[in-house]
Amino acid sequence: MKLVLPTGGTPDEETYYQEQAKIFNEKNPDIDLQVHFIASAQYGNSVSLMFASDDAPDIIRMNGSIPTKMTISYEKGWIRPLDEFVTEEFKNRFPPNFFSPGGRLYIDGKLYGIPFNDNRETTFRPLYVNLDILQQFGYSAPPKTWSELKEMSARITREGGGKVYGMSSTSSPYLDVINLYETNNGRYLDGHLTEGNFIYDTQTGKSAASNPQLVETVKFVQSIVADKTFMPGWESVDLTKLYQQFAAGQVAMFIGQNWVAPEINRLNPNINMMLAPMPVPDSGRKGYKAIYGVSEPFYGITSKSKYPEAAWKAIEFFSTPEFHEGWYNVVQLPTVFFDQYKFEKPDERRDQIARQILDGASVDLRVAPYPTQKNPDAEKLLSGIMANAPKPSLNELINMAIIGNKDFEALAKDYDKKMETVIDQQIEKLRKEGIDISRDVLIAPDDWNPAENYIK
């Protein structure tokens, strides 16, 4: 029997999966597991076409915000429950609370997804720091507050003589704003895990692009720009070029995604790099960056699979510490089984970076409630809101404010007015379709404390 798993990743990752598929097939001679690698940009469209044909996959990837994320795959009827396959023994392989009934692996009380990536790792956005540069300018540790970040980076740029810069923006300044803002997040959440496209107030269920925390963050980044701190060309810097400059010792600090760390390490294995937690406002932390569930779904079995039992065997094979450690050796990012690795191929620098990611995440992240925990149809509302969001987008408004030095608060208030109309329209649309939904799905449960993990 043939099983098909479409997935994506680096060339090294593809080689690893193909090698492991061969091992699986040798252990299960009645199964022919075929792993099809698809470029990330084409993944959603390619999988959709597979479902539209007679060649639907058996196993599907559902992590992050990809077009096949679990809630969307559920809406489209692409996936089937896994409860009949998942035993308590299987659950006990994973860290505590990973299979909490109210978590993101479940929809309407049924289990649909199995974890792979560590949810802390995928969500953590570190402050990359070249400690040698900091020490060169008299600093012994990374900045912990916004004023320290501003003072340190401005001084390094000023005294660096055009050879060293204290800080650079990433591929777009709105990412710096969103990452600084979200790490100090209190009552405002991003409704779609898309780096700040739809921010709502969890006490009222209303659009909150103009919330005080975000306005304050935009003004802070505007002040860094006014000081001419960023490396020249920051307005449209290429991310690949940025981490090459960082690896070469031209930039002291930048805010980035954690997957960049292995790339920097490959470029310069001797760099004295630290992945530090995000600095917080001088007034103190108001909250934490939200992750929606202790674990996130990665693998699922499709409703079109003719051989669900065989598909489950493959998922079980992918869900062992041994498989995960092999993947980690290639990709160099920790998975859910990081604490169970035997480290048979030790690499002190690689393992140090992985530990910094997880330690930093424990400082900056907390599990927050997600609307689908209240109502499985909440994803339809969120998808409708995002598809009809006002233009320019919130991200574009942030860039306009930073690059053009415009009044972000005024732009955001106008955006909120337009977004409120969109929310009302989408609620009405779903109600006409017979779906019982309201803004209540955007209002956090009374027992949610933003300073603690919400695990139900």
Side-chain angles (χ1 to χ4, degrees):
M1 65 187 78
K2 183 179 80 170
L3 294 179
V4 174
L5 164 62
T7 188
T10 65
D12 288 342
E13 189 177 353
E14 178 177 5
T15 298
Y16 178 69
Y17 261 94
Q18 300 296 5
E19 290 172 349
Q20 293 297 308
K22 183 178 179 181
I23 293 172
F24 174 81
N25 290 337
E26 288 172 352
K27 291 182 177 181
N28 300 274
D30 58 329
I31 302 175
D32 177 20
L33 173 62
Q34 299 182 4
V35 181
H36 296 176
F37 265 69
I38 303 170
S40 298
Q42 284 81 47
Y43 186 79
N45 187 52
S46 296
V47 173
S48 294
L49 291 174
M50 292 174 75
F51 275 101
S53 69
D54 293 328
D55 195 25
D58 297 273
I59 303 170
I60 189 172
R61 260 186 59 186
M62 306 185 297
N63 58 307
S65 295
I66 62 176
T68 56
K69 63 184 283 189
M70 191 174 84
T71 48
I72 293 175
S73 293
Y74 172 82
E75 281 181 38
K76 294 183 176 180
W78 286 351
I79 52 177
R80 58 172 292 155
L82 305 177
D83 302 84
E84 64 182 291
F85 304 114
V86 179
T87 64
E88 289 302 314
E89 181 182 4
F90 179 83
K91 292 179 182 179
N92 289 336
R93 294 182 187 180
F94 293 81
N97 298 315
F98 263 50
F99 286 86
S100 298
R104 289 178 60 213
L105 306 179
Y106 293 80
I107 296 178
D108 207 15
K110 294 182 180 180
L111 178 68
Y112 285 91
I114 301 300
F116 186 88
N117 297 119
D118 190 301
N119 200 20
R120 298 169 298 169
E121 175 266 312
T122 56
T123 313
F124 178 52
R125 298 291 180 265
L127 176 70
Y128 282 81
V129 180
N130 185 320
L131 292 171
D132 284 342
I133 296 178
L134 261 61
Q135 291 166 8
Q136 177 185 343
F137 287 86
Y139 301 110
S140 59
K144 294 184 178 180
T145 64
W146 285 5
S147 62
E148 289 179 357
L149 175 64
K150 182 179 178 181
E151 186 274 328
M152 291 167 65
S153 57
R155 180 187 165 196
I156 293 170
T157 295
R158 187 172 60 250
E159 298 180 9
K163 296 181 179 179
V164 180
Y165 294 86
M167 190 176 178
S168 183
S169 178
T170 54
S171 54
S172 188
Y174 86 82
L175 289 172
D176 299 309
V177 169
I178 290 300
N179 287 318
L180 283 164
Y181 156 75
E182 285 191 335
T183 306
N184 180 41
N185 197 356
R187 58 188 272 194
Y188 309 103
L189 293 181
D190 174 4
H192 227 209
L193 287 174
T194 46
E195 305 288 2
N197 277 321
F198 169 42
I199 295 174
Y200 62 93
D201 186 331
T202 59
Q203 292 183 359
T204 64
K206 292 185 176 182
S207 177
S210 60
N211 75 76
Q213 290 173 219
L214 184 54
V215 171
E216 178 187 16
T217 311
V218 172
K219 288 180 179 178
F220 172 69
V221 176
Q222 285 175 324
S223 73
I224 291 179
V225 171
D227 288 344
K228 301 185 185 304
T229 295
F230 285 152
M231 192 171 192
W234 60 269
E235 299 92 338
S236 58
V237 68
D238 176 76
L239 182 58
T240 301
K241 184 178 180 181
L242 171 60
Y243 62 69
Q244 289 172 344
Q245 292 166 331
F246 180 81
Q250 297 174 295
V251 178
M253 295 178 284
F254 74 94
I255 298 167
Q257 294 178 308
N258 51 62
W259 60 263
V260 174
E263 297 298 320
I264 293 172
N265 195 42
R266 291 187 186 101
L267 288 168
N268 183 1
N270 298 315
I271 188 171
N272 188 9
M273 175 177 67
M274 179 178 180
L275 277 61
M278 199 73 68
V280 299
D282 293 49
S283 58
R285 185 188 286 277
K286 299 179 180 65
Y288 296 83
K289 183 176 174 65
I291 52 177
Y292 300 134
V294 177
S295 56
E296 72 166 355
F298 192 92
Y299 295 119
I301 298 177
T302 71
S303 56
K304 298 283 188 177
S305 177
K306 299 176 183 177
Y307 310 109
E309 292 82 5
W312 175 249
K313 281 188 178 181
I315 290 178
E316 271 200 304
F317 178 78
F318 295 143
S319 302
T320 63
E322 293 76 19
F323 180 91
H324 280 232
E325 184 169 353
W327 185 88
Y328 168 74
N329 290 336
V330 171
V331 180
Q332 301 186 25
L333 292 171
T335 71
V336 295
F337 290 132
F338 183 75
D339 291 327
Q340 298 181 46
Y341 296 166
K342 295 180 180 178
F343 295 100
E344 294 177 346
K345 295 181 179 180
D347 181 329
E348 183 178 354
R349 183 64 180 143
R350 174 201 65 188
D351 301 338
Q352 180 188 49
I353 290 171
R355 179 50 65 189
Q356 285 183 0
I357 289 172
L358 296 180
D359 288 347
S362 69
V363 173
D364 283 352
L365 310 181
R366 295 292 183 273
V367 178
Y370 191 63
T372 53
Q373 292 171 324
K374 274 193 168 185
N375 185 337
D377 289 317
E379 190 65 49
K380 295 179 181 177
L381 175 60
L382 293 172
S383 296
I385 291 170
M386 290 304 304
N388 295 278
K391 297 293 183 182
S393 69
L394 179 56
N395 293 340
E396 290 169 336
L397 293 180
I398 292 173
N399 279 347
M400 288 168 57
I402 300 296
I403 296 172
N405 194 30
K406 297 184 182 297
D407 182 353
F408 172 72
E409 186 172 13
L411 294 173
K413 284 182 177 179
D414 181 61
Y415 182 87
D416 281 332
K417 290 179 182 178
K418 295 175 181 176
M419 181 60 90
E420 281 296 294
T421 300
V422 171
I423 296 171
D424 289 337
Q425 289 173 341
Q426 292 306 307
I427 289 173
E428 183 63 24
K429 177 176 180 292
L430 291 177
R431 285 177 174 170
K432 287 181 178 179
E433 294 174 5
I435 296 173
D436 184 16
I437 199 162
S438 69
R439 283 179 188 265
D440 286 349
V441 299
L442 302 176
I443 298 175
D446 292 337
D447 60 351
W448 177 46
N449 180 353
E452 298 177 359
N453 286 318
Y454 186 77
I455 301 172
K456 296 296 178 181

